[in-house]
Amino acid sequence: APSGAFFAAGDADCSVTVWSTAKREEVGTTTVVGDVRTVALASRPCDLLAVGTTAKKVMLLSLPDLEEIADLRHEGHVNCIAFSPLGGFLAGGGGTDEMHGLMTHKTQHAGACTVLWRVANDRSACKYL
């Protein structure tokens, strides 16, 4: 996380593990639906973990307890995610594009897209923009 309090890693076995940097120990592991493609951490306005998967969604979790805050839908596999500098927004990029790699002349139907969500530690405040 930008605060340096936590770091996280995910794997293709659908699990995510979080460690405390201060204690130098694991604080928890959780399982998500779909293969983990990407993780992102935020420190502001509170500690949050976002996990992008092949299940066409991002799981937003609280830290350090790994409780689910929201299930954010995407149109395809979520290959990258990033929190805004102040932590109030989350962007997710991905899709179901069968043509991998950089191609400058992709059609409109290539299946790749970026989604933006407002996020918070309260489920009711999270929404697709």
Side-chain angles (χ1 to χ4, degrees):
S3 69
F6 302 101
F7 72 95
D11 62 32
D13 291 333
C14 308
S15 66
V16 177
T17 303
V18 176
W19 292 268
S20 165
T21 56
K23 296 179 182 179
R24 296 183 180 171
E25 63 184 28
E26 182 180 316
V27 293
T29 298
T30 191
T31 303
V32 296
V33 176
D35 295 344
V36 177
R37 292 279 181 102
T38 182
V39 297
L41 295 152
S43 301
R44 290 193 262 169
C46 58
D47 290 317
L48 297 173
L49 169 65
V51 181
T53 71
T54 57
K56 298 182 178 181
K57 64 181 177 177
V58 173
M59 298 298 301
L60 186 65
L61 306 167
S62 62
L63 287 173
D65 56 3
L66 297 174
E67 293 293 321
E68 182 182 328
I69 296 171
D71 183 353
L72 307 169
R73 298 291 173 183
H74 196 281
E75 295 176 19
H77 302 318
V78 183
N79 297 319
C80 60
I81 49 180
F83 283 97
S84 63
L86 297 180
F89 298 94
L90 178 69
T96 53
D97 188 356
E98 300 298 322
M99 303 285 291
H100 300 290
L102 177 64
M103 296 178 65
T104 56
H105 298 291
K106 286 190 176 187
T107 66
Q108 199 173 9
H109 306 288
C113 69
T114 300
V115 175
L116 186 63
W117 300 276
R118 179 180 306 279
V119 294
N121 62 346
D122 176 12
R123 176 186 305 266
S124 64
C126 298
K127 68 178 186 175
Y128 177 88
L129 297 176

